[in-house]
């Protein structure tokens, strides 16, 4: 038995002898231990370094960034952390906007001007305002709109911008190919575009102070512009009414309309058998009338422009008063039961009652009514005129919504989709032919109709009885009041129908709603015998048409 070390030295000696003398084939030479000889191999020592060089080859940052799911609405945990109450919700909105700003800034730092337009960033441009909107609609995002902007397509890896590689199946999977030959030492200036100074877009001179090498900020100049751009101010709607008035004997009846606000900034309220006027300018309260013979007030409605107010009674009478002189001008008959709904269209006064009839009355002539409409099978509890198009919408306890054209006695449209009484009716002042209606306890839905085509546009399940609807005069928003079971007031953004604010405080059904003439304040009345005033909408632009001297309704003294 030979020593292994001796065998190794013997093999090395035999191989060196073969190189010096006659060549010896490796196949014919035998080693001492009977194995075939092999050429010696040089051991290579493994090299180790203390530097880590990241390699991003094959990593698609665009696809990786857009695969991160960014929540578009704040979670309940964030709202609890921000606190409860109005200030807590405002803080939660600010936290959400800060997170969206950070995400947009991170995208800008990673990709520069080549920012992928993901579905979340496109959503930010709708309501974030300022920097969010600018990035959501920038021209640099147009190249990725097909892969990221459409949420129905889903996330796809965008193709790499390599000229020599081929794209497989429209995705970013590329096959290796021989790169084209390029001369690395050839210099070519950028092509001149049709710009005012003849330079390429985005060109920055050596002495341009906006260049990144001169910046003292850790972020680039584009990101600085993003952070310094103006942002939309957070809308703050107070959840507490700024005024609460006691309203004793305010009836808790769904089918009545006892509160209305005039164009002269005077609020009329029917309490029991009396009508009270509250001047919003002076905060003084006056009693307009006190009905006799056991009559009670069932409806109150101001004329569009002026100081005349109509009052409906429980015995079917309709009274017209001059509020400025506090004098009764006329008494109109026709109904055989209580009058729960009144609506004005210039000099035409329409009334609807429990007797299922609607009367058109011209207050300029001595006749008590000029037209009688019959179509509802039960009590008429909602009436609203569209003064622009001359259409009247009527809702009844028979779950029907009718649209009448001018003074015609045949309905133009019959909508039967509600499954409960239709009292809440409102016309959109910003879009022609759009009508909103709300159903009672068994329905709980707000439906939108196009009276030009006669089709339903949209519907929203509110979860509560819809008692009133009113459109904002200043913004494209709608406010609704509710009864069973939450007794809340909700402000909606139209047409998305996202809740802007939810106001609570009433302990009973919010049956009455009116809006101030400037469109900023609403007043709500409920069966808890209180009137609550809320600042909801922003100030609108002045209507210069009302100041025209050609207006026949303008008072000249």
């Amino acid at each position: 038995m030979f020593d292994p070390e001796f065998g190794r030295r013997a093999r090395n000696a035999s191989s060196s002898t073969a190189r010096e003398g006659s060549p010896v084939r490796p196949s014919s030479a035998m080693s001492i231990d009977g194995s075939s000889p092999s050429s010696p191999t040089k051991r290579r020592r493994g090299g180790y370094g203390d530097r880590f060089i990241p390699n991003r080859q094959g990593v698609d940052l665009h696809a990786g960034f857009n695969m991160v799911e960014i929540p578009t609405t704040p979670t309940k945990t964030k709202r609890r952390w921000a606190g409860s109450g109005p200030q807590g919700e405002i803080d939660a909105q600010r936290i959400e906007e800060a997170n969206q700003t950070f995400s947009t800034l991170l995208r800008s730092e990673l990709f520069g001007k080549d920012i992928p337009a993901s579905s979340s960033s496109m959503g930010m441009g709708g309501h974030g305002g300022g920097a969010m909107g600018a990035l959501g609609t920038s021209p640099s995002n147009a190249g990725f709109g097909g892969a990221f902007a459409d949420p129905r397509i889903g996330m796809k890896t965008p193709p790499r911008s390599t000229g020599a590689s081929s794209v497989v199946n429209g995705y970013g999977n590329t096959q290796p190919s021989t790169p084209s030959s390029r001369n690395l030492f050839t210099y070519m200036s950028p092509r001149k575009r049709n710009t005012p100074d003849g330079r390429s877009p985005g060109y920055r001179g050596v002495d341009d102070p906006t260049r990144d090498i001169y910046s003292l900020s850790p972020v680039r100049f584009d990101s600085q512009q993003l952070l310094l751009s103006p942002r939309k101010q957070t809308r703050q709607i107070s959840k507490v009414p700024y005024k609460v008035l006691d309203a004793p004997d305010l009836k808790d009846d769904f089918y009545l309309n006892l509160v209305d606000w005039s164009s002269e900034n005077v609020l009329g309220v029917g309490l029991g058998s009396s009508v009270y006027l509250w001047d919003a300018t002076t905060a003084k309260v006056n009693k307009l009338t006190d009905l006799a013979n056991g009559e009670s007030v069932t409806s109150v409605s101001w004329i569009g422009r002026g100081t005349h107010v109509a009052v409906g009674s429980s015995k079917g009478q309709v009274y017209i008063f001059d509020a400025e002189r506090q004098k009764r001008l006329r008494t109109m008959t026709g109904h055989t039961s209580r009058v729960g709904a009144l609506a004005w269209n210039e000099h035409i006064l329409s009334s609807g009652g429990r007797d299922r009839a609607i009367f058109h009355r011209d207050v300029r002539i001595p006749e008590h009514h000029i037209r009688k409409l019959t179509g509802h099978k039960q009590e008429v509890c909602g009436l609203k005129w569209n003064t622009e198009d001359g259409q009247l919408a009527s809702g009844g306890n028979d779950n029907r919504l009718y649209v009448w054209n001018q003074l015609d006695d045949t309905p133009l449209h019959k909508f039967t989709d509600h499954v409960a009484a239709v009292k809440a009716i409102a016309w959109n002042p910003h879009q022609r032919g759009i009508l909103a209606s709300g159903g009672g306890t068994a329905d709980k839905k707000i439906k939108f109709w196009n009276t030009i085509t006669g089709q339903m546009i949209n519907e929203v399940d509110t979860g509560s009885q819809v008692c009133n609807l009113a459109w904002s005069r200043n913004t494209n928003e709608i406010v609704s009041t509710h009864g069973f079971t939450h007794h809340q007031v909700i402000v909606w953004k139209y047409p998305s129908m996202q809740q802007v604010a939810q106001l609570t405080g009433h302990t009973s059904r919010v049956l009455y709603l009116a809006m101030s003439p400037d469109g900023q304040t609403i007043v709500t009345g409920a069966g808890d015998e209180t009137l609550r005033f809320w600042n909801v909408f922003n100030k609108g632009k002045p209507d210069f048409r009302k100041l025209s001297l050609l207006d026949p309704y303008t008072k000249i003294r």
Side-chain angles (χ1 to χ4, degrees), residues 473-533:
R473 299 186 180 97
N474 306 329
T475 59
N476 200 10
E477 295 176 341
I478 188 171
V479 59
S480 60
T481 67
H482 300 270
F484 302 119
T485 56
H486 302 297
H487 310 150
Q488 78 274 37
V489 181
I490 302 178
V491 182
W492 308 84
K493 185 69 176 178
Y494 184 82
S496 63
M497 291 307 291
Q498 295 180 353
Q499 289 191 19
V500 179
Q502 186 172 147
L503 312 178
T504 57
H506 285 289
T507 58
S508 183
R509 296 184 296 174
V510 188
L511 298 174
Y512 310 109
L513 172 67
M515 186 175 296
S516 62
D518 61 3
Q520 300 183 57
T521 305
I522 62 171
V523 58
T524 56
D528 55 8
E529 298 185 348
T530 62
L531 295 175
R532 298 175 185 265
F533 295 81

Side-chain angles (χ1 to χ4, degrees), residues 56-77:
R56 295 186 179 181
Q57 184 177 3
V59 179
D60 198 330
L61 293 179
H62 286 174
F65 186 88
N66 284 275
M67 286 180 181
V68 179
E69 296 183 358
I70 302 175
T72 57
T73 56
T75 59
K76 296 181 179 180
T77 306

Side-chain angles (χ1 to χ4, degrees), residues 286-299:
N286 296 319
K287 180 187 285 190
L288 176 64
T289 184
D290 196 353
L291 301 183
N293 302 324
E295 284 186 300
S296 61
V297 180
T298 55
S299 57

